[in-house]
Amino acid sequence: QQQQQQQRQAARHLTGAETAELPADAELDPRGLLADVALADVADVVVGLHGGQLYNALYMPAHKALLEVRPYQFTGGWPDTYFKQPFTSDEEHADNSDGIFWFGIDTVNASNSKPGVWEAANSGCCHARDRHTRINPAALEYMLRRIVWAAEDVQKYKQLARKGETYITDTLQPAQEYHKHHGTQKLSQQQQQQQQQQQQQQQQQQQQQESQERVAATE
């Protein structure tokens, strides 16, 4: 407990909480990176919209929680590549004994995610990624309660993952089931290639079986 208090005091010092003024441009503050690291090191939970700022979670101690919120229609292989896949393993997040506990909320209620600047101007790219997003308070409470229940316990985290309670929609449904039912789960290029390979293997096996049956019928 004393060590945690010392860490928090260091974090306050690095972030300028104990100083009267901060530089006008935060990017020019030499304490910026150290402040981010210090704050992450004492944080229990990091909550944020999908984006590079969530990489601050890499500085968190093991078994702390990252809650990633995704804009409307921004799901699947692309966003999974950045946080979900590195912090989890397969469908059940099976092996995360030394890592961060990843939790996610997909926005499926369009009213909670308004067009960003490029989408509103009908230009640019990455419209889904850059949409403004409002976090449904009920979904946030749902996830925070489960983060507290897991209490940095690997087995409890696995239990939540198996039940689909680490990754939900803003309508409080298990995200994987929702996207499967609505056909909105987008596969990454690697997943598409794996799916094609599996289909080809199944076709080859079926052809071999049919060929063997024809040979057996002629004997």
Side-chain angles (χ1 to χ4, degrees), residues 27 60 66 71 84 103 118 166 215:
E27 293 184 359
M60 299 172 71
L66 168 64
K84 183 174 182 290
F103 293 80
W118 281 354
T166 58
V215 171

Side-chain angles (χ1 to χ4, degrees), residues 29-181:
D29 185 354
R31 300 169 296 179
L33 177 58
L34 291 177
D36 289 344
V37 173
L39 287 173
D41 187 54
V42 296
D44 294 315
V45 185
V46 168
V47 181
L49 193 63
H50 174 92
Q53 74 282 355
L54 295 186
Y55 278 114
N56 285 311
L58 293 173
Y59 298 113
M60 299 172 71
H63 308 159
K64 300 301 183 180
L66 168 64
L67 175 52
E68 175 189 0
V69 181
R70 297 177 177 181
Y72 179 62
Q73 294 183 330
F74 188 62
T75 185
W78 180 11
D80 284 355
T81 301
Y82 296 96
F83 304 104
K84 183 174 182 290
Q85 289 179 357
F87 289 149
T88 62
S89 175
D90 297 328
E91 295 179 355
E92 296 184 354
H93 311 183
D95 184 7
N96 199 19
S97 58
D98 296 321
I100 302 300
F101 291 169
W102 180 89
F103 293 80
I105 300 176
D106 276 0
T107 303
V108 297
N109 184 347
S111 65
N112 286 333
S113 201
K114 301 300 183 181
V117 176
W118 281 354
E119 185 176 9
N122 196 26
S123 64
C125 70
C126 315
H127 291 169
R129 182 197 66 185
D130 296 336
R131 286 177 179 143
H132 303 294
T133 302
R134 171 185 174 273
I135 302 177
N136 179 6
L140 179 60
E141 179 183 358
Y142 179 100
M143 296 307 275
L144 291 177
R145 286 184 178 275
R146 279 146 184 80
I147 291 171
V148 171
W149 179 83
E152 304 177 29
D153 185 293
V154 175
Q155 296 305 319
K156 286 186 175 181
Y157 177 74
K158 291 180 182 179
Q159 183 177 340
L160 289 175
R162 285 191 292 269
K163 294 165 61 178
E165 296 186 3
T166 58
Y167 181 31
I168 66 169
T169 66
D170 61 343
T171 54
L172 306 184
Q173 298 170 271
Q176 298 285 12
E177 292 182 10
Y178 176 91
H179 292 303
K180 183 177 181 179
H181 179 73

Side-chain angles (χ1 to χ4, degrees), residues 186-201:
K186 299 177 182 178
L187 301 178
S188 66
Q189 185 175 0
Q190 181 180 4
Q191 289 172 326
Q192 290 175 356
Q193 292 174 348
Q194 291 175 347
Q195 188 179 67
Q196 291 174 355
Q197 290 175 354
Q198 290 176 352
Q199 291 174 348
Q200 291 174 354
Q201 290 175 354

